[in-house]
């Protein structure tokens, strides 16, 4: 057939050449194998002939022995060649896999750096505006109220939101043309099955049912403790799932492999249900409906992405507003309240702790179990500093002094308490709010001056009351009361700061291989905790394992800290299709973890390892390129500022200044002579300046093995 094709001139030469080369390789391999088999057969045959000659007593044994030795030598030479070839192939394959692993790790580093940089930028931005609010002096009371309403949310405003959304869904009518799932409360397993089937068919739940479901979920969460306690007794098996991040297909696959939740099949979902993926609201609806149907079969922990400030950046807010354009703002407000009520942790059999992020040196489970978690609608915000402002007005003083004198005496004789300190703080804040619109002489007080102003205001009030009833020598007593009030005021702020740090640490922290506990500067929140911190924490609370999420892992899970910290991540293809597997872990009464891995993608099954790595690598480089090009105009402006003549060249003097600046930043001592010698060596054309081509040529990457 090959000759016929060549004769008719229709042969494709490259294809023909490849065809011949491939068949030549196959033929060579077959020939080598056949030759080796023939040699072995010849050796065996000659040995048999030699034995026959010896038995028969004829022939020359000397000739036959040399012939056998020569055959064996040929056989050994051929076997040695085969072994050498196998070693070369093995070495090449290991180098090939190692190169792919390096590419994969570099790709992983790019993705993680971009992800953590985004979280850090969001935290820095929020801290910046919080700083402005703390140091903001309003021109009028209305201005302060307006800005404070934007950046803060008081308990009163939260109660208003919860009260408004409690009945808002009753006024929403479902159109007759609506063909999606319909819910009625209390929910049943049939409703959950209908909801799952509708979401599989890409149907959308009506806004009325979303608001009603969120409202019922919030009422249920209000009765749950900060830390749930679950038991594996009676043969129960508990399944722990990590981050889902809007990956609805992963949740469906988990239920397909492991079954739906029930009292006998308990699920614990460890936070980060929303953001990044396209189906975050659907995941919330499924989990909340399961929570209401099986309150003893589903447990939900809060993650760092259950935070409306984070949702603004990473897509969940945008998703809700696009899917529910009419009722989107109401849904988001109610979701904020639901997120603030989510429990912070879960403990299995008093031995396994499940939290989203990690721990720190100061993490205390007893303290976490007692705090008011609903205060922290956003964990990025430290406790709002109480602003106390005081106006001296005659009418105000007369209002305070017009009360019953006997009551004033009784109040002054009572020792101060912590509650009294908070009441006084609230009293002054409310007094200022009521008088602010009538007075223009308002003075803004910073946090450091709070205790001083409170002490002075209380002193004036007590002295006025006691003067009217005839007690003149009351200085020492009032001074003692005021000092105690100052201490109690400081305790309020310290308590709030400690609460906030405890919550941030368990939601944002990551483990590290080194010992100790340091600030998590990469993410911008939480800390890095070492194996020594883990060991002390587990011993303190009599635990044996810490299960966390918060970090994407290539295999879906990873142990660290001597197998005492387990990271579980359930969102497969998190960065790109083929980037990672998802996993969930199952615990029985023996508390031995059993892992199930998966990857939701049919296309990756058909790709080779090299194709998967290349696909993810292209995506990472594209994301990095987009990140760099986002500041392209700023970089060009900076270059043009230094290159005023627009020559595209760098003088030796400019090069030396840049190197000195870089060395001071990196804390590396480089002499001016060394910098000058480097600049001269880079100036290939000896024109006294360095262009981009010379710079790139001087630092060209080379393979050291070739030198």
């Amino acid at each position: 057939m090959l000759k016929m094709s060549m004769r008719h001139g229709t042969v494709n030469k490259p294809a023909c050449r490849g065809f011949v080369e491939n068949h030549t390789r196959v033929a060579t391999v077959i020939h080598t194998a056949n030759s080796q088999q023939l040699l072995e057969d010849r050796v065996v045959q000659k040995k048999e002939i030699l034995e026959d000659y010896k038995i028969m007593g004829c022939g020359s044994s000397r000739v036959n022995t040399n012939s056998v030795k020569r055959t064996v030598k040929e056989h050994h030479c051929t076997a040695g060649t085969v072994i050498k070839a196998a070693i070369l192939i093995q070495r090449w394959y290991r180098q090939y896999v190692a190169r792919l692993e390096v590419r994969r790790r570099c790709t992983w580093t790019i993705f993680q750096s971009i992800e953590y940089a985004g979280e850090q930028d969001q935290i820095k931005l929020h801290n910046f505006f919080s700083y402005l609010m703390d140091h903001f002096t309003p021109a009028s009371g209305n201005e302060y109220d307006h800005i404070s309403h934007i950046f803060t949310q008081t308990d009163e405003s939260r109660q208003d939101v919860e009260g408004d959304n409690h009945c808002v869904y009753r006024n929403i009518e479902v159109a007759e043309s609506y063909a999606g799932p319909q819910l009625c409360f209390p929910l049943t397993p049939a409703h959950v099955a209908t909801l799952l089937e509708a979401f599989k068919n890409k149907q959308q739940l009506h806004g009325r049912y979303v608001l009603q479901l969120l409202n019922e979920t919030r009422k249920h969460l209000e009765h749950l403790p900060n830390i749930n306690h679950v038991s594996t007794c009676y043969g129960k098996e508990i399944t722990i799932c990590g981050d889902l991040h809007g990956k609805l297909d992963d949740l469906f696959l988990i239920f397909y492999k492991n079954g739906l939740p029930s009292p006998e099949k308990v699920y614990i979902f460890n936070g980060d249900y929303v953001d990044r993926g396209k189906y975050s609201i659907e995941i919330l609806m499924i989990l909340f409906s399961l929570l209401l149907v099986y309150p003893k079969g589903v447990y939900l922990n809060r993650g760092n992405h259950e935070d409306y400030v984070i949702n603004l950046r990473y897509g969940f807010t945008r998703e809700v507003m696009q899917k529910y354009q009419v009722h989107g703002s109401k849904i988001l407000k109610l979701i904020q309240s639901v997120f603030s009520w989510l429990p912070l942790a879960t403990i299995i059999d008093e031995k396994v702790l499940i939290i989203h992020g990690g721990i720190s040196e100061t993490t205390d489970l007893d303290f976490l179990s007692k705090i008011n978690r609903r205060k922290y609608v956003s964990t990025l915000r430290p406790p709002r500093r109480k602003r106390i402002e005081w106006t001296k007005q005659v009418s105000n003083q007369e209002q305070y002094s017009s009360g019953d004198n006997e009551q004033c005496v009784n109040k002054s004789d009572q020792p101060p308490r912590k509650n009294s300190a908070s009441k006084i703080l609230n009293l002054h804040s409310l007094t200022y709010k009521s008088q602010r619109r009538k007075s223009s002489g308002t003075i803004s007080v910073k946090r450091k001056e709070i205790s001083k102003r409170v002490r002075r205001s209380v002193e004036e009030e007590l002295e006025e009351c006691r003067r009217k009833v005839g007690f003149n020598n009351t200085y020492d007593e009032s001074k003692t009361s005021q000092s105690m009030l100052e201490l109690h005021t400081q305790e309020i702020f310290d308590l709030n700061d400690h609460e906030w740090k405890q919550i941030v640490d368990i939601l944002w922290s990551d483990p590290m291989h080194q010992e100790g506990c340091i600030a998590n500067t990469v993410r911008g929140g939480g800390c890095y905790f070492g194996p020594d911190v883990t060991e002390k924490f587990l011993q303190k609370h009599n635990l044996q394992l810490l299960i966390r999420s918060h970090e994407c892992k290539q295999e879906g899970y990873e142990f660290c800290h001597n197998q005492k910290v387990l990271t579980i991540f359930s969102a497969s293809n998190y960065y790109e299709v083929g980037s990672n597997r998802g996993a969930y872990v199952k615990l029985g009464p023996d508390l031995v973890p059993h892992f199930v891995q998966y990857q939701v993608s049919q296309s990756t099954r058909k790709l080779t390892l090299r194709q998967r790595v290349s696909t993810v690598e292209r995506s990472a480089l594209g994301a990095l390129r987009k990140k760099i090009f986002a500041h392209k105009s700023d970089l060009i402006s900076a270059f043009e500022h230094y290159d005023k003549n627009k020559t595209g060249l760098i003088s030796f003097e400019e090069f030396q200044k840049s190197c000195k600046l870089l060395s001071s930043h990196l804390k590396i001592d480089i002499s001016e002579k060394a910098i000058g010698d480097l600049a001269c060596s880079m100036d290939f054309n000896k024109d006294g300046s360095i262009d981009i081509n010379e710079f790139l040529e001087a630092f060209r990457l080379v393979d050291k093995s070739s030198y």
Side-chain angles (χ1 to χ4, degrees), residues 654-670 675 678 695 699:
E654 292 172 336
F655 183 77
Q656 289 178 347
K657 290 181 179 179
S658 301
C659 289
K660 293 296 290 183
L661 180 63
L662 182 63
S663 63
S664 63
H665 176 71
L666 298 177
K667 298 180 180 180
I668 300 175
D669 187 16
I670 304 177
I675 297 175
L678 178 61
F695 181 83
F699 295 97

Side-chain angles (χ1 to χ4, degrees), residues 312-377:
L312 288 169
R313 183 184 183 98
Y314 289 102
F316 178 55
T317 301
R318 190 184 312 111
E319 175 191 338
V320 173
M321 295 304 296
Q322 288 176 351
K323 293 180 178 179
Y324 298 94
Q325 299 178 3
V326 178
H327 310 293
S329 59
K330 297 177 183 178
I331 292 173
L332 288 173
K333 287 181 180 179
L334 190 51
I335 286 176
Q336 290 180 22
S337 178
V338 173
F339 282 171
S340 67
W341 279 107
L342 286 172
L344 302 175
T346 304
I347 297 180
I348 302 176
D349 290 347
E350 306 299 328
K351 290 296 182 181
V352 179
L353 173 66
I354 304 172
I355 53 178
H356 179 73
I359 58 175
S360 68
E361 292 176 329
T362 60
T363 300
D364 187 352
L365 295 182
D366 296 330
F367 182 81
L368 282 171
S369 63
K370 298 175 183 178
I371 66 176
N372 182 11
R373 66 181 186 271
R374 69 180 291 267
K375 294 191 303 182
Y376 300 92
V377 180

